[in-house]
Amino acid sequence: MTQDDALKQLSHIARERAFDRHVGSDQLIQAGLDALIAGVESPSLAMLAGLLRSEEPDAPALFDQVLEELGLFFHPPAHPRAAKWAMACWVAGQIADGTLDPATGTHLIWADIAYDLGYPEELEPLVHCAHHLDGWEESWGVSLEELNREAVEAAEQFLNKRSTAEAGS
């Protein structure tokens, strides 16, 4: 793992935690160890990476300290709806760049985001993809790969519309 990969991993976990996704202390410690081995430098990183199993309860606070030291701490918008929209953009970005499986990502948007936002029209194509990927059967005459491509395209279109809308405001 390179330094850049380690920093991306730390940043990814920071966002997962900021959006209330569960990340176990063992994962925080492992990410710290990966970063330390990759050559990332932070005053608290070695302490995080060296935590023993009995010290796992200390991992979240140390992880946050490492994020602060590296300038990677992420604060989602304070308003719950704005935070859900930010999470939708983050998940769609991962679908679009291939770091998140389209079925997993669209399901997350459908179940954890669109529902809470009242199924807005902007998320409908991604929810549609989630339904298709969730219930796919070989007899449909369309490949799973094609449905995955459609989900990636829907994520890219969603992100383009969001960035265009934000640029216009």
Side-chain angles (χ1 to χ4, degrees), residues 68-128:
E68 287 286 353
E69 291 166 0
L70 295 172
L72 297 175
F73 203 86
F74 175 75
H75 297 281
H79 191 277
R81 285 188 66 79
K84 285 292 179 180
W85 280 111
M87 184 177 178
C89 290
W90 177 63
V91 172
Q94 291 179 87
I95 295 169
D97 72 14
T99 58
L100 182 61
D101 172 66
T104 302
T106 57
H107 182 81
L108 181 61
I109 287 173
W110 168 32
D112 290 1
I113 300 168
Y115 174 81
D116 290 342
L117 293 172
Y119 294 103
E121 186 179 322
E122 298 96 317
L123 294 177
E124 194 280 326
L126 290 160
V127 171
H128 182 78

CSV table of all heavy atoms in Angstrom, one decimal, residues 68-128:
chain,number,residue,atom,x,y,z
A,68,GLU,N,-7.4,14.5,12.5
A,68,GLU,CA,-7.1,15.9,12.8
A,68,GLU,C,-5.7,16.3,12.4
A,68,GLU,O,-5.4,17.3,11.8
A,68,GLU,CB,-7.4,16.3,14.2
A,68,GLU,CG,-8.9,16.3,14.6
A,68,GLU,CD,-9.7,17.5,14.0
A,68,GLU,OE1,-9.1,18.4,13.5
A,68,GLU,OE2,-10.9,17.5,14.2
A,69,GLU,N,-4.8,15.4,12.9
A,69,GLU,CA,-3.3,15.7,12.6
A,69,GLU,C,-3.0,15.7,11.1
A,69,GLU,O,-2.1,16.5,10.7
A,69,GLU,CB,-2.5,14.7,13.4
A,69,GLU,CG,-2.5,14.8,14.9
A,69,GLU,CD,-2.0,13.6,15.6
A,69,GLU,OE1,-1.5,12.6,15.0
A,69,GLU,OE2,-2.0,13.7,16.9
A,70,LEU,N,-3.7,14.9,10.4
A,70,LEU,CA,-3.4,14.7,8.9
A,70,LEU,C,-4.3,15.7,8.1
A,70,LEU,O,-4.2,15.7,6.9
A,70,LEU,CB,-3.6,13.3,8.5
A,70,LEU,CG,-2.7,12.3,9.1
A,70,LEU,CD1,-3.1,10.9,8.7
A,70,LEU,CD2,-1.2,12.6,8.6
A,71,GLY,N,-5.2,16.4,8.8
A,71,GLY,CA,-6.1,17.3,8.0
A,71,GLY,C,-7.2,16.5,7.2
A,71,GLY,O,-7.7,17.0,6.2
A,72,LEU,N,-7.5,15.3,7.7
A,72,LEU,CA,-8.5,14.5,7.0
A,72,LEU,C,-9.8,14.4,7.6
A,72,LEU,O,-10.7,13.7,7.1
A,72,LEU,CB,-7.9,13.1,6.8
A,72,LEU,CG,-6.7,12.9,6.0
A,72,LEU,CD1,-6.2,11.5,6.0
A,72,LEU,CD2,-6.9,13.4,4.6
A,73,PHE,N,-10.0,15.0,8.8
A,73,PHE,CA,-11.3,14.9,9.5
A,73,PHE,C,-12.4,15.5,8.7
A,73,PHE,O,-12.2,16.5,8.0
A,73,PHE,CB,-11.2,15.7,10.9
A,73,PHE,CG,-12.2,15.2,11.8
A,73,PHE,CD1,-11.9,14.1,12.6
A,73,PHE,CD2,-13.5,15.7,12.0
A,73,PHE,CE1,-12.8,13.6,13.6
A,73,PHE,CE2,-14.4,15.3,12.9
A,73,PHE,CZ,-14.0,14.2,13.7
A,74,PHE,N,-13.5,14.8,8.6
A,74,PHE,CA,-14.6,15.2,7.7
A,74,PHE,C,-15.8,15.4,8.6
A,74,PHE,O,-16.2,14.6,9.4
A,74,PHE,CB,-14.9,14.0,6.7
A,74,PHE,CG,-16.2,14.3,5.9
A,74,PHE,CD1,-16.1,15.2,4.9
A,74,PHE,CD2,-17.4,13.7,6.2
A,74,PHE,CE1,-17.3,15.5,4.1
A,74,PHE,CE2,-18.5,13.9,5.4
A,74,PHE,CZ,-18.4,14.9,4.4
A,75,HIS,N,-16.4,16.6,8.4
A,75,HIS,CA,-17.6,17.0,9.1
A,75,HIS,C,-18.7,17.1,8.1
A,75,HIS,O,-18.7,17.9,7.2
A,75,HIS,CB,-17.5,18.4,9.8
A,75,HIS,CG,-16.4,18.4,10.9
A,75,HIS,ND1,-16.6,17.9,12.1
A,75,HIS,CD2,-15.2,18.8,10.9
A,75,HIS,CE1,-15.5,18.0,12.8
A,75,HIS,NE2,-14.6,18.6,12.1
A,76,PRO,N,-19.7,16.2,8.2
A,76,PRO,CA,-20.9,16.3,7.3
A,76,PRO,C,-21.7,17.5,7.6
A,76,PRO,O,-21.6,18.1,8.7
A,76,PRO,CB,-21.7,15.0,7.5
A,76,PRO,CG,-21.4,14.6,8.9
A,76,PRO,CD,-19.9,15.1,9.2
A,77,PRO,N,-22.5,17.9,6.6
A,77,PRO,CA,-23.4,19.1,6.9
A,77,PRO,C,-24.2,18.8,8.2
A,77,PRO,O,-24.6,17.7,8.5
A,77,PRO,CB,-24.3,19.2,5.7
A,77,PRO,CG,-23.5,18.5,4.6
A,77,PRO,CD,-22.7,17.4,5.3
A,78,ALA,N,-24.5,19.9,8.9
A,78,ALA,CA,-25.2,19.7,10.2
A,78,ALA,C,-26.7,19.4,10.0
A,78,ALA,O,-27.2,18.6,10.8
A,78,ALA,CB,-25.1,21.0,11.0
A,79,HIS,N,-27.3,19.9,9.0
A,79,HIS,CA,-28.7,19.7,8.8
A,79,HIS,C,-28.8,18.2,8.3
A,79,HIS,O,-28.1,17.8,7.3
A,79,HIS,CB,-29.3,20.6,7.7
A,79,HIS,CG,-30.7,20.6,7.6
A,79,HIS,ND1,-31.4,19.6,6.9
A,79,HIS,CD2,-31.7,21.3,8.2
A,79,HIS,CE1,-32.7,19.8,7.0
A,79,HIS,NE2,-32.9,20.8,7.8
A,80,PRO,N,-29.7,17.4,8.9
A,80,PRO,CA,-29.9,16.0,8.5
A,80,PRO,C,-30.2,15.8,7.0
A,80,PRO,O,-29.6,14.9,6.4
A,80,PRO,CB,-31.1,15.5,9.3
A,80,PRO,CG,-31.1,16.4,10.5
A,80,PRO,CD,-30.6,17.8,10.0
A,81,ARG,N,-31.0,16.6,6.4
A,81,ARG,CA,-31.3,16.4,4.9
A,81,ARG,C,-30.0,16.7,4.1
A,81,ARG,O,-29.7,16.0,3.2
A,81,ARG,CB,-32.4,17.3,4.5
A,81,ARG,CG,-33.8,16.8,4.9
A,81,ARG,CD,-34.9,17.6,4.3
A,81,ARG,NE,-35.1,17.4,2.8
A,81,ARG,CZ,-35.6,16.4,2.2
A,81,ARG,NH1,-36.1,15.3,2.9
A,81,ARG,NH2,-35.7,16.3,0.9
A,82,ALA,N,-29.3,17.8,4.4
A,82,ALA,CA,-28.1,18.1,3.7
A,82,ALA,C,-27.0,17.0,3.9
A,82,ALA,O,-26.3,16.7,3.0
A,82,ALA,CB,-27.5,19.4,4.2
A,83,ALA,N,-27.0,16.4,5.1
A,83,ALA,CA,-26.1,15.3,5.3
A,83,ALA,C,-26.4,14.1,4.5
A,83,ALA,O,-25.5,13.4,3.9
A,83,ALA,CB,-26.0,14.9,6.8
A,84,LYS,N,-27.7,13.8,4.3
A,84,LYS,CA,-28.1,12.7,3.5
A,84,LYS,C,-27.8,12.9,2.0
A,84,LYS,O,-27.3,12.0,1.3
A,84,LYS,CB,-29.6,12.4,3.6
A,84,LYS,CG,-30.0,11.8,4.9
A,84,LYS,CD,-29.5,10.3,5.0
A,84,LYS,CE,-29.9,9.7,6.3
A,84,LYS,NZ,-29.4,8.3,6.4
A,85,TRP,N,-28.0,14.2,1.6
A,85,TRP,CA,-27.6,14.5,0.2
A,85,TRP,C,-26.1,14.4,0.0
A,85,TRP,O,-25.6,13.9,-1.0
A,85,TRP,CB,-28.0,15.9,-0.2
A,85,TRP,CG,-29.5,15.9,-0.6
A,85,TRP,CD1,-30.5,16.5,0.1
A,85,TRP,CD2,-30.1,15.3,-1.7
A,85,TRP,NE1,-31.7,16.3,-0.6
A,85,TRP,CE2,-31.5,15.6,-1.7
A,85,TRP,CE3,-29.6,14.6,-2.8
A,85,TRP,CZ2,-32.4,15.1,-2.7
A,85,TRP,CZ3,-30.5,14.1,-3.8
A,85,TRP,CH2,-31.8,14.4,-3.7
A,86,ALA,N,-25.3,14.8,1.0
A,86,ALA,CA,-23.8,14.7,0.9
A,86,ALA,C,-23.4,13.2,0.9
A,86,ALA,O,-22.5,12.8,0.1
A,86,ALA,CB,-23.2,15.4,2.1
A,87,MET,N,-24.1,12.4,1.7
A,87,MET,CA,-23.9,10.9,1.7
A,87,MET,C,-24.2,10.3,0.3
A,87,MET,O,-23.5,9.5,-0.2
A,87,MET,CB,-24.7,10.2,2.8
A,87,MET,CG,-24.4,8.8,2.9
A,87,MET,SD,-25.3,8.1,4.3
A,87,MET,CE,-24.8,6.4,4.2
A,88,ALA,N,-25.3,10.8,-0.3
A,88,ALA,CA,-25.7,10.3,-1.6
A,88,ALA,C,-24.6,10.6,-2.7
A,88,ALA,O,-24.3,9.7,-3.5
A,88,ALA,CB,-27.1,10.9,-2.1
A,89,CYS,N,-24.1,11.8,-2.6
A,89,CYS,CA,-23.0,12.2,-3.5
A,89,CYS,C,-21.8,11.3,-3.3
A,89,CYS,O,-21.1,10.9,-4.2
A,89,CYS,CB,-22.7,13.7,-3.4
A,89,CYS,SG,-24.0,14.7,-4.0
A,90,TRP,N,-21.5,11.1,-2.0
A,90,TRP,CA,-20.3,10.3,-1.7
A,90,TRP,C,-20.4,8.8,-2.2
A,90,TRP,O,-19.5,8.3,-2.8
A,90,TRP,CB,-20.1,10.3,-0.2
A,90,TRP,CG,-18.9,9.5,0.3
A,90,TRP,CD1,-17.6,9.6,0.0
A,90,TRP,CD2,-19.0,8.4,1.2
A,90,TRP,NE1,-16.9,8.6,0.7
A,90,TRP,CE2,-17.7,7.9,1.4
A,90,TRP,CE3,-20.1,7.7,1.9
A,90,TRP,CZ2,-17.5,6.8,2.2
A,90,TRP,CZ3,-19.8,6.7,2.7
A,90,TRP,CH2,-18.5,6.2,2.9
A,91,VAL,N,-21.6,8.2,-2.0
A,91,VAL,CA,-21.8,6.9,-2.4
A,91,VAL,C,-21.9,6.8,-3.9
A,91,VAL,O,-21.2,5.9,-4.5
A,91,VAL,CB,-23.2,6.3,-1.8
A,91,VAL,CG1,-23.5,5.0,-2.4
A,91,VAL,CG2,-23.0,6.2,-0.3
A,92,ALA,N,-22.5,7.8,-4.6
A,92,ALA,CA,-22.6,7.8,-6.0
A,92,ALA,C,-21.2,7.9,-6.6
A,92,ALA,O,-20.8,7.3,-7.6
A,92,ALA,CB,-23.5,8.9,-6.5
A,93,GLY,N,-20.4,8.7,-6.0
A,93,GLY,CA,-19.0,8.9,-6.4
A,93,GLY,C,-18.2,7.6,-6.4
A,93,GLY,O,-17.4,7.3,-7.2
A,94,GLN,N,-18.4,6.8,-5.3
A,94,GLN,CA,-17.8,5.5,-5.2
A,94,GLN,C,-18.3,4.5,-6.2
A,94,GLN,O,-17.5,3.7,-6.8
A,94,GLN,CB,-18.0,4.9,-3.8
A,94,GLN,CG,-17.3,5.7,-2.7
A,94,GLN,CD,-17.6,5.1,-1.4
A,94,GLN,OE1,-16.9,4.2,-1.0
A,94,GLN,NE2,-18.6,5.6,-0.7
A,95,ILE,N,-19.6,4.6,-6.5
A,95,ILE,CA,-20.1,3.7,-7.6
A,95,ILE,C,-19.5,4.1,-8.9
A,95,ILE,O,-19.0,3.3,-9.7
A,95,ILE,CB,-21.6,3.8,-7.7
A,95,ILE,CG1,-22.3,3.3,-6.4
A,95,ILE,CG2,-22.2,3.1,-8.9
A,95,ILE,CD1,-23.8,3.6,-6.3
A,96,ALA,N,-19.4,5.4,-9.2
A,96,ALA,CA,-18.9,5.9,-10.5
A,96,ALA,C,-17.4,5.6,-10.7
A,96,ALA,O,-17.0,5.3,-11.8
A,96,ALA,CB,-19.2,7.4,-10.6
A,97,ASP,N,-16.6,5.7,-9.6
A,97,ASP,CA,-15.2,5.5,-9.7
A,97,ASP,C,-14.8,4.0,-9.5
A,97,ASP,O,-13.6,3.7,-9.6
A,97,ASP,CB,-14.4,6.4,-8.8
A,97,ASP,CG,-14.4,6.1,-7.4
A,97,ASP,OD1,-14.9,5.0,-7.0
A,97,ASP,OD2,-14.0,6.9,-6.5
A,98,GLY,N,-15.8,3.2,-9.3
A,98,GLY,CA,-15.5,1.7,-9.2
A,98,GLY,C,-15.0,1.2,-7.9
A,98,GLY,O,-14.6,0.1,-7.7
A,99,THR,N,-15.0,2.1,-6.8
A,99,THR,CA,-14.5,1.6,-5.5
A,99,THR,C,-15.6,1.0,-4.7
A,99,THR,O,-15.4,0.4,-3.6
A,99,THR,CB,-13.9,2.8,-4.7
A,99,THR,OG1,-14.8,3.8,-4.6
A,99,THR,CG2,-12.6,3.3,-5.4
A,100,LEU,N,-16.9,1.1,-5.2
A,100,LEU,CA,-18.0,0.4,-4.5
A,100,LEU,C,-18.8,-0.3,-5.5
A,100,LEU,O,-19.2,0.2,-6.6
A,100,LEU,CB,-18.9,1.5,-3.8
A,100,LEU,CG,-20.1,1.0,-3.0
A,100,LEU,CD1,-19.6,0.1,-1.8
A,100,LEU,CD2,-20.8,2.2,-2.4
A,101,ASP,N,-19.1,-1.6,-5.2
A,101,ASP,CA,-19.9,-2.4,-6.1
A,101,ASP,C,-21.3,-1.7,-6.3
A,101,ASP,O,-21.9,-1.2,-5.4
A,101,ASP,CB,-20.2,-3.8,-5.3
A,101,ASP,CG,-21.2,-4.6,-6.1
A,101,ASP,OD1,-20.8,-5.1,-7.2
A,101,ASP,OD2,-22.2,-4.9,-5.5
A,102,PRO,N,-21.7,-1.6,-7.6
A,102,PRO,CA,-22.9,-0.9,-7.9
A,102,PRO,C,-24.2,-1.5,-7.2
A,102,PRO,O,-25.0,-0.7,-6.8
A,102,PRO,CB,-23.1,-1.1,-9.4
A,102,PRO,CG,-21.7,-1.3,-9.9
A,102,PRO,CD,-21.0,-2.1,-8.8
A,103,ALA,N,-24.3,-2.8,-7.0
A,103,ALA,CA,-25.4,-3.3,-6.3
A,103,ALA,C,-25.4,-2.9,-4.8
A,103,ALA,O,-26.4,-2.5,-4.3
A,103,ALA,CB,-25.4,-4.9,-6.4
A,104,THR,N,-24.3,-2.9,-4.2
A,104,THR,CA,-24.1,-2.5,-2.8
A,104,THR,C,-24.4,-1.0,-2.7
A,104,THR,O,-25.2,-0.5,-1.8
A,104,THR,CB,-22.7,-2.8,-2.3
A,104,THR,OG1,-22.5,-4.2,-2.4
A,104,THR,CG2,-22.6,-2.4,-0.8
A,105,GLY,N,-23.8,-0.2,-3.6
A,105,GLY,CA,-24.0,1.3,-3.5
A,105,GLY,C,-25.4,1.7,-3.8
A,105,GLY,O,-26.0,2.6,-3.1
A,106,THR,N,-26.1,1.1,-4.8
A,106,THR,CA,-27.4,1.6,-5.1
A,106,THR,C,-28.4,1.1,-4.0
A,106,THR,O,-29.3,1.8,-3.7
A,106,THR,CB,-27.9,1.0,-6.5
A,106,THR,OG1,-27.8,-0.4,-6.6
A,106,THR,CG2,-27.1,1.7,-7.6
A,107,HIS,N,-28.1,-0.1,-3.5
A,107,HIS,CA,-28.9,-0.5,-2.3
A,107,HIS,C,-28.8,0.4,-1.1
A,107,HIS,O,-29.8,0.8,-0.5
A,107,HIS,CB,-28.6,-1.9,-1.9
A,107,HIS,CG,-29.4,-2.5,-0.8
A,107,HIS,ND1,-30.7,-3.0,-1.0
A,107,HIS,CD2,-29.3,-2.5,0.5
A,107,HIS,CE1,-31.3,-3.3,0.1
A,107,HIS,NE2,-30.4,-3.0,1.1
A,108,LEU,N,-27.6,0.9,-0.9
A,108,LEU,CA,-27.4,1.8,0.2
A,108,LEU,C,-28.1,3.1,-0.1
A,108,LEU,O,-28.8,3.7,0.8
A,108,LEU,CB,-25.9,2.1,0.3
A,108,LEU,CG,-25.4,3.0,1.4
A,108,LEU,CD1,-25.8,2.5,2.8
A,108,LEU,CD2,-23.9,3.2,1.4
A,109,ILE,N,-28.1,3.6,-1.3
A,109,ILE,CA,-28.8,4.8,-1.6
A,109,ILE,C,-30.3,4.6,-1.5
A,109,ILE,O,-31.0,5.4,-0.9
A,109,ILE,CB,-28.5,5.3,-3.1
A,109,ILE,CG1,-27.0,5.9,-3.0
A,109,ILE,CG2,-29.5,6.3,-3.6
A,109,ILE,CD1,-26.5,6.3,-4.4
A,110,TRP,N,-30.8,3.5,-1.9
A,110,TRP,CA,-32.2,3.2,-1.8
A,110,TRP,C,-32.7,3.0,-0.4
A,110,TRP,O,-33.6,3.7,0.0
A,110,TRP,CB,-32.5,1.9,-2.6
A,110,TRP,CG,-33.8,1.2,-2.4
A,110,TRP,CD1,-35.0,1.8,-2.2
A,110,TRP,CD2,-34.1,-0.2,-2.5
A,110,TRP,NE1,-36.0,0.9,-2.1
A,110,TRP,CE2,-35.5,-0.4,-2.3
A,110,TRP,CE3,-33.3,-1.3,-2.7
A,110,TRP,CZ2,-36.1,-1.6,-2.3
A,110,TRP,CZ3,-33.9,-2.6,-2.7
A,110,TRP,CH2,-35.3,-2.7,-2.5
A,111,ALA,N,-32.0,2.2,0.4
A,111,ALA,CA,-32.5,1.9,1.7
A,111,ALA,C,-32.1,2.9,2.8
A,111,ALA,O,-32.9,3.2,3.7
A,111,ALA,CB,-31.9,0.5,2.2
A,112,ASP,N,-30.9,3.6,2.7
A,112,ASP,CA,-30.5,4.4,3.8
A,112,ASP,C,-30.6,5.9,3.4
A,112,ASP,O,-30.4,6.8,4.3
A,112,ASP,CB,-29.0,4.1,4.1
A,112,ASP,CG,-28.9,2.8,4.8
A,112,ASP,OD1,-29.9,2.1,5.0
A,112,ASP,OD2,-27.7,2.4,5.2
A,113,ILE,N,-30.8,6.3,2.2
A,113,ILE,CA,-30.8,7.7,1.8
A,113,ILE,C,-32.1,8.1,1.2
A,113,ILE,O,-32.7,9.0,1.7
A,113,ILE,CB,-29.6,8.0,0.8
A,113,ILE,CG1,-28.2,7.6,1.5
A,113,ILE,CG2,-29.6,9.4,0.4
A,113,ILE,CD1,-27.1,7.6,0.6
A,114,ALA,N,-32.5,7.5,0.1
A,114,ALA,CA,-33.7,7.9,-0.6
A,114,ALA,C,-34.9,7.8,0.3
A,114,ALA,O,-35.8,8.6,0.3
A,114,ALA,CB,-33.9,7.0,-1.9
A,115,TYR,N,-35.0,6.7,1.1
A,115,TYR,CA,-36.1,6.5,2.0
A,115,TYR,C,-36.2,7.7,3.0
A,115,TYR,O,-37.3,8.3,3.1
A,115,TYR,CB,-35.9,5.2,2.8
A,115,TYR,CG,-37.0,5.1,3.9
A,115,TYR,CD1,-38.2,4.6,3.5
A,115,TYR,CD2,-36.7,5.4,5.2
A,115,TYR,CE1,-39.2,4.4,4.5
A,115,TYR,CE2,-37.7,5.3,6.2
A,115,TYR,CZ,-38.9,4.8,5.8
A,115,TYR,OH,-39.9,4.6,6.8
A,116,ASP,N,-35.1,8.1,3.6
A,116,ASP,CA,-35.0,9.2,4.5
A,116,ASP,C,-35.4,10.6,3.9
A,116,ASP,O,-35.8,11.5,4.5
A,116,ASP,CB,-33.7,9.3,5.2
A,116,ASP,CG,-33.5,8.1,6.2
A,116,ASP,OD1,-34.5,7.5,6.6
A,116,ASP,OD2,-32.3,7.9,6.6
A,117,LEU,N,-35.1,10.7,2.6
A,117,LEU,CA,-35.4,11.9,1.8
A,117,LEU,C,-36.7,11.9,1.2
A,117,LEU,O,-37.1,12.9,0.5
A,117,LEU,CB,-34.3,12.2,0.8
A,117,LEU,CG,-32.9,12.5,1.4
A,117,LEU,CD1,-31.8,12.5,0.2
A,117,LEU,CD2,-32.9,13.8,2.1
A,118,GLY,N,-37.5,10.9,1.4
A,118,GLY,CA,-38.8,10.8,0.8
A,118,GLY,C,-38.8,10.4,-0.7
A,118,GLY,O,-39.7,10.9,-1.5
A,119,TYR,N,-37.8,9.7,-1.1
A,119,TYR,CA,-37.7,9.2,-2.5
A,119,TYR,C,-37.7,10.4,-3.5
A,119,TYR,O,-38.6,10.4,-4.4
A,119,TYR,CB,-38.7,8.1,-2.8
A,119,TYR,CG,-38.5,6.9,-2.1
A,119,TYR,CD1,-39.3,6.6,-1.0
A,119,TYR,CD2,-37.4,6.0,-2.4
A,119,TYR,CE1,-39.0,5.4,-0.2
A,119,TYR,CE2,-37.2,4.9,-1.6
A,119,TYR,CZ,-38.0,4.6,-0.6
A,119,TYR,OH,-37.8,3.4,0.2
A,120,PRO,N,-36.7,11.3,-3.4
A,120,PRO,CA,-36.7,12.4,-4.4
A,120,PRO,C,-36.5,11.9,-5.8
A,120,PRO,O,-35.8,10.9,-6.1
A,120,PRO,CB,-35.6,13.3,-3.9
A,120,PRO,CG,-34.7,12.3,-3.2
A,120,PRO,CD,-35.6,11.3,-2.6
A,121,GLU,N,-37.0,12.7,-6.8
A,121,GLU,CA,-36.9,12.4,-8.2
A,121,GLU,C,-35.4,12.2,-8.6
A,121,GLU,O,-35.1,11.4,-9.4
A,121,GLU,CB,-37.5,13.5,-9.0
A,121,GLU,CG,-37.6,13.2,-10.5
A,121,GLU,CD,-38.3,14.3,-11.2
A,121,GLU,OE1,-39.3,14.9,-10.7
A,121,GLU,OE2,-37.8,14.6,-12.3
A,122,GLU,N,-34.5,13.0,-8.0
A,122,GLU,CA,-33.1,13.0,-8.4
A,122,GLU,C,-32.4,11.6,-8.1
A,122,GLU,O,-31.5,11.2,-8.8
A,122,GLU,CB,-32.3,14.0,-7.7
A,122,GLU,CG,-32.7,15.4,-8.0
A,122,GLU,CD,-33.7,16.0,-6.9
A,122,GLU,OE1,-34.6,15.3,-6.5
A,122,GLU,OE2,-33.5,17.1,-6.5
A,123,LEU,N,-33.0,10.9,-7.1
A,123,LEU,CA,-32.4,9.6,-6.8
A,123,LEU,C,-33.1,8.4,-7.4
A,123,LEU,O,-32.7,7.3,-7.3
A,123,LEU,CB,-32.4,9.4,-5.3
A,123,LEU,CG,-31.5,10.3,-4.5
A,123,LEU,CD1,-31.6,10.1,-3.0
A,123,LEU,CD2,-30.0,10.2,-4.9
A,124,GLU,N,-34.2,8.7,-8.1
A,124,GLU,CA,-35.1,7.6,-8.7
A,124,GLU,C,-34.3,6.7,-9.6
A,124,GLU,O,-34.4,5.5,-9.6
A,124,GLU,CB,-36.3,8.2,-9.4
A,124,GLU,CG,-37.3,7.2,-9.8
A,124,GLU,CD,-37.0,6.4,-11.0
A,124,GLU,OE1,-36.4,7.0,-12.0
A,124,GLU,OE2,-37.4,5.2,-11.1
A,125,PRO,N,-33.4,7.2,-10.6
A,125,PRO,CA,-32.7,6.3,-11.4
A,125,PRO,C,-31.8,5.3,-10.6
A,125,PRO,O,-31.6,4.1,-11.0
A,125,PRO,CB,-31.8,7.2,-12.3
A,125,PRO,CG,-32.6,8.5,-12.3
A,125,PRO,CD,-33.2,8.6,-10.9
A,126,LEU,N,-31.2,5.8,-9.5
A,126,LEU,CA,-30.3,4.9,-8.7
A,126,LEU,C,-31.2,3.9,-7.9
A,126,LEU,O,-30.8,2.8,-7.8
A,126,LEU,CB,-29.5,5.8,-7.8
A,126,LEU,CG,-28.4,6.5,-8.5
A,126,LEU,CD1,-27.9,7.7,-7.6
A,126,LEU,CD2,-27.2,5.6,-8.9
A,127,VAL,N,-32.3,4.3,-7.4
A,127,VAL,CA,-33.3,3.4,-6.8
A,127,VAL,C,-33.8,2.4,-7.7
A,127,VAL,O,-33.8,1.2,-7.4
A,127,VAL,CB,-34.4,4.2,-6.1
A,127,VAL,CG1,-35.5,3.2,-5.6
A,127,VAL,CG2,-33.9,5.1,-5.0
A,128,HIS,N,-34.1,2.8,-8.9
A,128,HIS,CA,-34.5,1.9,-10.0
A,128,HIS,C,-33.4,0.8,-10.2
A,128,HIS,O,-33.7,-0.4,-10.3
A,128,HIS,CB,-34.8,2.7,-11.3
A,128,HIS,CG,-35.3,1.9,-12.4
A,128,HIS,ND1,-36.6,1.4,-12.5
A,128,HIS,CD2,-34.6,1.4,-13.5
A,128,HIS,CE1,-36.7,0.7,-13.6
A,128,HIS,NE2,-35.6,0.7,-14.3
